[in-house]
């Protein structure tokens, strides 16, 4: 099991932070270049809610995901499947729990992932990549 946990406080309202997290089509506007992330699209019509589907395009391939929990403005949980050449590589579940902290927002980000098949051999490398990418995401969210 891959597991990353990050806590930080962002100097923005809980509503602003939550809106940024659920505005899937606008991720490319605030996610910096240089990591794995290239872009994402919201594949479902309408406002984001449980069941909303999305696609993340990364330097390693494409992940298909969906929103599995949404409790505005306190919690959002995503779930995705990453495949390579049609084979399931990893299933991931990034979650964000938000709470008011004065004029800012306390963010508790937790991401879990499970590798499949031969890809389990790469767990230590994938753990490091996940730590780096999840940290980049939270730092970008802070900005």
């Amino acid at each position: 099991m891959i597991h990353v946990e990050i806590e930080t406080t962002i100097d923005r309202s809980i509503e602003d932070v939550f809106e940024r997290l659920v505005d899937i089509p606008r991720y490319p506007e605030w996610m910096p270049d240089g990591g794995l992330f290239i872009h994402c699209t919201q594949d479902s019509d309408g406002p984001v809610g449980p069941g909303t589907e999305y696609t993340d395009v990364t330097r390693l391939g494409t992940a298909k995901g969906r929103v599995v929990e949404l409790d505005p403005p306190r919690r959002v949980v995503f779930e995705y499947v990453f495949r390579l050449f049609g084979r399931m590589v990893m299933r991931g579940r990034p979650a964000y729990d938000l709470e008011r902290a004065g004029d800012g927002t306390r963010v508790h980000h937790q991401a879990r992932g499970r590798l499949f098949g031969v890809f389990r051999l790469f767990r230590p490398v994938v753990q490091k990549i996940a730590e780096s990418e999840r940290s980049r995401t939270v730092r970008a969210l802070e900005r």
Side-chain angles (χ1 to χ4, degrees):
M1 179 70 77
I2 306 295
H3 180 81
V4 178
E5 203 161 337
I6 300 169
E7 289 205 28
T8 191
T9 301
I10 297 176
D11 190 25
R12 300 288 294 217
S13 73
I14 191 171
E15 291 82 9
D16 287 349
V17 175
F18 184 82
E19 282 303 312
R20 176 65 48 111
L21 286 169
V22 298
D23 193 351
I24 295 168
R26 293 184 66 187
Y27 270 45
E29 293 177 17
W30 58 273
M31 283 293 292
D33 292 335
L36 294 180
F37 177 83
I38 296 174
H39 70 85
C40 63
T41 57
Q42 181 175 324
D43 302 331
S44 300
D45 292 330
V48 172
T52 297
E53 295 178 346
Y54 65 91
T55 300
D56 271 345
V57 177
T58 75
R59 296 187 197 299
L60 296 178
T62 300
K64 294 292 225 168
R66 65 188 174 95
V67 175
V68 292
E69 288 182 45
L70 192 71
D71 181 16
R74 294 182 303 254
R75 181 171 170 80
V76 60
V77 181
F78 302 94
E79 187 173 79
Y80 66 87
V81 173
F82 181 77
R83 294 181 185 278
L84 193 59
F85 306 115
R87 295 184 56 116
M88 187 182 303
V89 173
M90 181 175 174
R91 180 179 304 275
R93 191 175 174 98
Y96 295 87
D97 288 295
L98 311 176
E99 63 182 79
R100 293 183 200 282
D103 291 336
T105 303
R106 186 80 181 145
V107 177
H108 179 84
H109 175 47
Q110 198 174 148
R112 297 181 187 275
R114 180 172 172 220
L115 294 165
F116 294 90
V118 68
F119 301 104
R120 289 183 295 210
L121 298 173
F122 298 99
R123 188 202 162 288
V125 173
V126 174
Q127 177 70 40
K128 293 286 186 199
I129 292 170
E131 289 169 0
S132 174
E133 287 301 301
R134 296 282 104 204
S135 293
R136 269 177 25 81
T137 300
V138 171
R139 283 193 312 271
L141 187 60
E142 288 173 329
R143 286 191 295 273

